[in-house]
Amino acid sequence: MRPLVAHIDLAAITHNYALARQCAPGRQALAVVKADAYGHGLEPVVAALSDADGFAVACLEEAERVRRVASQARLLLLEGCFAVAEYQRAAELGVDVVLHSAEQAEGLLASVLPAPLRVWLKLDSGMHRLGFDEAALRHWHARLQAASQVSELNLISHFACADERGNSLTELQLERFLDVLDLPFAQRSLANSAAVLMIPAAHMDWLRPGIMLYGASPFAELSAGELGLRPAMSLRAEVIALREVQAGETVGYGGSWQATHDARIATVSCGYADGYPRHAPSGTPVWLQGQRVPLAGRVSMDMLCVDVGVLPSVQLGSEVELWGQRLPVDEVARAAGTLGYELLTRVTARVPRRY
Ligand SMILES: *Cc1c(COP(=O)(O)O)cnc(C)c1O
């Protein structure tokens, strides 16, 4: 077997979920498990979070998968239905739906459903991606309040910049959310991970922690460890080849890395087809034998190379961690100019998850 495994620590995920709830005593939390639980595997994560107050996903296909593991749990469709026909299935599955547009709302009102739905009206409080402005939200609240398709009318919105502490847009978004609370909503939800951790005024009734559950930080300047989060995924490979390279020789495609001194190069069984970022530059840290060693040259499809000059004891079969318990995913993401979110969700299907 190819030595590359994503080890998933489910206890870390339940720890991180408990931490989210501790941030907001008395509130409930929808564990966000979209995108295959941010790459960790939807079914095992939902099963591990069997005591969670509920779950949130991006589409009905994901909701179907959650339902097979958690038949009763509260379950929210974050983008609502993509076609009118989906309301039928949403009602059968007993999922809550977001309504973010007039088209979605009209589609719901035109549906004949086996059971009424819990509806979350989405306020566009300033992100300008999805949702109603205040006037439209008030209009649809009035139209939906007595609709036979609706069993509960709730309010939801999403922050654009909560990961940047002190960003003035966050303040403005919170104000716009508070401005519509004169309307009678059964439940309210505003906080993603960053707001769960840093903005108590945004906690409302239902938290929506995503990235923090998986032990990565939503903040550039605060590490997951400092926040008390435990990393859930450790992506581990092995050294499959070793060689000495003389000063002046190059390594990898394009010969983009050149040895400035005689170097020892280890080839590692992980590449961009596994989800390791191809754009990670030379120098990106890789964990090997208790140390960070630098990536050397371009990442290949199935392999990458590191300069292990500093570690004479590296052998064939030595364990390598691309990110995880010993090397925070956020550190690798920063070096590669991306986010922990992207690295975690992009680990491809050919990498076995071991729980
Ligand atoms: C993905 C998502 C979340 C979770 O965000 P994190 O930053 O991962 O905590 C919350 N709410 C909505 C609407 C989302 O799409």
Side-chain angles (χ1 to χ4, degrees), residues 256-272:
S256 69
W257 186 88
Q258 188 172 36
T260 54
H261 50 88
D262 290 354
R264 195 149 171 262
I265 296 294
T267 303
V268 174
S269 52
C270 181
Y272 64 78

Side-chain angles (χ1 to χ4, degrees), residues 32 34 38 78 122 129 158 192-193 208-211 341:
V32 181
K34 63 191 178 188
Y38 288 46
L78 289 166
K122 179 123 177 176
R129 185 177 65 175
H158 192 56
N192 57 2
S193 295
R208 303 192 310 272
I211 193 69
Y341 292 82

Side-chain angles (χ1 to χ4, degrees), residues 262-307:
D262 290 354
R264 195 149 171 262
I265 296 294
T267 303
V268 174
S269 52
C270 181
Y272 64 78
D274 303 302
Y276 194 91
R278 199 184 87 84
H279 54 271
S282 289
T284 298
V286 171
W287 184 95
L288 180 55
Q289 293 196 332
Q291 294 206 36
R292 284 160 170 73
V293 294
L295 183 70
R298 286 192 197 148
V299 174
S300 307
M301 186 181 290
D302 313 304
M303 290 169 274
L304 55 80
C305 292
V306 292
D307 174 7

Side-chain angles (χ1 to χ4, degrees), residues 99-347:
L99 293 184
H100 64 72
S101 68
E103 292 75 12
Q104 279 187 332
E106 276 154 10
L108 175 63
L109 289 175
S111 300
V112 180
L113 301 176
L117 288 166
R118 288 191 284 220
V119 166
W120 293 77
L121 282 179
K122 179 123 177 176
L123 174 69
D124 179 1
S125 56
M127 184 161 181
H128 303 324
R129 185 177 65 175
L130 293 180
F132 300 104
D133 63 20
E134 178 176 345
L137 188 107
R138 289 181 182 279
H139 166 81
W140 284 107
H141 185 282
R143 282 202 53 193
L144 291 162
Q145 213 174 9
S148 63
Q149 295 89 345
V150 177
S151 65
E152 199 179 286
L153 210 43
N154 306 308
L155 178 66
I156 188 168
S157 192
H158 192 56
F159 284 122
C161 302
D163 56 314
E164 294 168 27
R165 287 187 290 166
N167 189 302
S168 59
L169 181 56
T170 303
E171 195 70 25
L172 182 62
Q173 289 195 267
L174 180 56
E175 274 171 34
R176 287 173 175 161
F177 194 91
L178 297 174
D179 279 348
V180 294
L181 290 186
D182 59 304
L183 294 172
F185 291 107
Q187 312 274 307
R188 292 145 289 254
S189 178
L190 180 55
N192 57 2
S193 295
V196 168
L197 291 161
M198 288 295 164
I199 314 174
H203 286 168
M204 306 295 157
D205 304 302
W206 286 88
L207 314 171
R208 303 192 310 272
I211 193 69
M212 69 179 292
L213 300 180
Y214 308 102
S217 173
F219 306 106
E221 77 287 7
L222 257 180
S223 73
E226 288 170 314
L227 294 165
L229 300 170
R230 283 165 45 186
M233 180 194 292
S234 296
L235 185 61
R236 299 204 180 121
E238 285 181 11
V239 172
I240 60 167
L242 272 167
R243 74 203 57 250
E244 314 287 334
V245 170
Q246 288 174 1
E249 295 289 326
T250 64
V251 170
Y253 283 119
S256 69
W257 186 88
Q258 188 172 36
T260 54
H261 50 88
D262 290 354
R264 195 149 171 262
I265 296 294
T267 303
V268 174
S269 52
C270 181
Y272 64 78
D274 303 302
Y276 194 91
R278 199 184 87 84
H279 54 271
S282 289
T284 298
V286 171
W287 184 95
L288 180 55
Q289 293 196 332
Q291 294 206 36
R292 284 160 170 73
V293 294
L295 183 70
R298 286 192 197 148
V299 174
S300 307
M301 186 181 290
D302 313 304
M303 290 169 274
L304 55 80
C305 292
V306 292
D307 174 7
V308 295
V310 292
L311 294 172
S313 60
V314 173
Q315 301 166 5
L316 289 184
S318 288
E319 187 185 42
V320 177
E321 186 173 286
L322 287 318
W323 60 70
Q325 266 166 8
R326 290 94 154 223
L327 177 62
V329 67
D330 295 318
E331 202 179 315
V332 181
R334 196 171 313 119
T338 181
L339 300 174
Y341 292 82
E342 187 178 14
L343 296 188
L344 294 173
T345 55
R346 284 200 154 189
V347 174

Side-chain angles (χ1 to χ4, degrees), residues 33-54:
V33 294
K34 63 191 178 188
D36 206 23
Y38 288 46
H40 294 67
L42 182 141
E43 286 82 2
V45 169
V46 170
L49 290 172
S50 59
D51 291 334
D53 304 313

